[in-house]
Amino acid sequence: MTTLTRADRRARVLDDPRFERYRNPRSRHLLAAGLIGVLAVEAGLLAVLPQLPTWLTIVVGALVVVGAVGFLGTLKAATRGVEELPEQALDERQAQIRGQVHIDAYRIGFGLFTTALAVIALWGMLDLPAPGPGLVTAAIVVPFHLALVLPNLVAAFRADI
Amino acid sequence: MSRSTSDSSEPQFYNRLAVLRSERGMSRKQLAEEVGVHYQTIGYLERGEYSPSLVLALRIAEVFGLPIEAIFSLTPFRPLSEQLYGSNKESS
């Protein structure tokens, strides 16, 4: 009897047939849209954080965490974890798709990073007032989270996943 | 490395996987388990949307006990009925 590795167990969880109804382009697009929406709410929340009452911050923050975990987890299962599983857990077609997903995610991320640098440079050149602490936090935290989920978002838009 | 045949620079790829599977009463899942790929990949292979690596093609040929050229081809296969009756006509 063969012993399953951690990667094999993870692959089985992500290939769970209970998620079969999400494994179609429309569902994956909706899940990706939901995840982008959660990131947008997170950005907004962080940007206005200093002005918000504590209870509202906690409530919205909890909703963001629950939403992010729900959308991301379901999206990973909808794409069978092709963007995160190690090579030995994928077959050759899936490994090839994963390679293409990572290349596309890298290109999109590079484009977004370049745009962000351009905005910062423009901000300095126009001598605009310094952003508040909320906006600075959002500008650091949200790109970090976006970088984490970008391969999932790219995978969601592939028809052959 | 093999690529999806949706890329126009790649040659069109033909196969007899579906016929051979059906002949042997084998499901996609069973064939996938025998050759060590996901069942979805068998579907992509059968539809000609994915070209297998040489290793995968050899594994599939081994499962069916046939030479690789009997399963995969770069040119369309003649229908089996045409091959069968065509050869019968020739021999008679």
Side-chain angles (χ1 to χ4, degrees):
Chain A
M1 190 180 141
T2 53
T3 311
L4 291 179
T5 62
R6 187 178 172 277
D8 291 333
R9 287 196 297 274
R10 180 78 176 134
R12 283 197 176 188
V13 169
L14 291 170
D15 198 26
D16 193 325
R18 282 177 298 177
F19 288 93
E20 207 55 54
R21 64 181 184 276
Y22 299 110
R23 290 179 182 130
N24 59 73
R26 188 181 140 75
S27 295
R28 285 197 299 264
H29 295 174
L30 288 174
L31 289 166
L35 193 54
I36 292 168
V38 168
L39 286 176
V41 172
E42 182 191 42
L45 177 69
L46 290 172
V48 297
L49 198 60
Q51 289 96 52
L52 285 182
T54 310
W55 69 268
L56 190 57
T57 305
I58 292 170
V59 169
V60 180
L63 287 175
V64 165
V65 171
V66 170
V69 170
F71 281 118
L72 185 59
T74 312
L75 189 54
K76 278 181 185 292
T79 55
R80 294 192 167 91
V82 89
E83 84 300 332
E84 71 158 63
L85 290 169
E87 194 89 12
Q88 70 270 17
L90 302 174
D91 72 30
E92 59 175 44
R93 185 187 67 88
Q94 293 171 316
Q96 181 183 319
I97 290 173
R98 194 255 293 282
Q100 288 163 356
V101 162
H102 282 187
I103 288 170
D104 290 345
Y106 171 79
R107 285 180 181 150
I108 293 167
F110 185 76
L112 291 173
F113 181 67
T114 307
T115 307
L117 286 182
V119 168
I120 292 168
L122 198 64
W123 194 294
M125 280 163 58
L126 295 175
D127 209 18
L128 294 170
L135 201 56
V136 171
T137 311
I140 294 168
V141 174
V142 176
F144 176 68
H145 286 167
L146 182 63
L148 286 178
V149 301
L150 204 48
N152 297 97
L153 294 175
V154 172
F157 287 92
R158 281 195 68 103
D160 57 350
I161 205 130
Chain B
M1 192 179 193
S2 53
R3 284 177 58 91
S4 165
T5 49
S6 59
D7 185 341
S8 58
S9 64
E10 289 293 312
Q12 185 67 44
F13 199 75
Y14 303 90
N15 70 83
R16 278 182 173 144
L17 280 180
V19 174
L20 292 168
R21 250 191 338 99
S22 142
E23 216 176 65
R24 286 157 173 77
M26 202 180 226
S27 69
R28 282 181 180 167
K29 204 167 174 13
Q30 284 169 322
L31 177 59
E33 278 165 12
E34 292 239 23
V35 296
V37 297
H38 195 274
Y39 70 86
Q40 209 184 11
T41 296
I42 300 295
Y44 275 92
L45 285 168
E46 288 184 358
R47 293 191 296 276
E49 291 170 12
Y50 179 73
S51 310
S53 67
L54 180 59
V55 173
L56 179 55
L58 286 168
R59 276 193 204 142
I60 292 170
E62 197 179 4
V63 167
F64 289 121
L66 290 169
I68 204 164
E69 64 270 21
I71 307 171
F72 299 104
S73 174
L74 291 173
T75 53
F77 284 105
R78 281 170 62 204
L80 285 174
S81 56
E82 193 187 304
Q83 284 186 35
L84 182 67
Y85 289 106
S87 63
N88 279 353
K89 269 183 190 171
E90 281 160 19
S91 62
S92 61

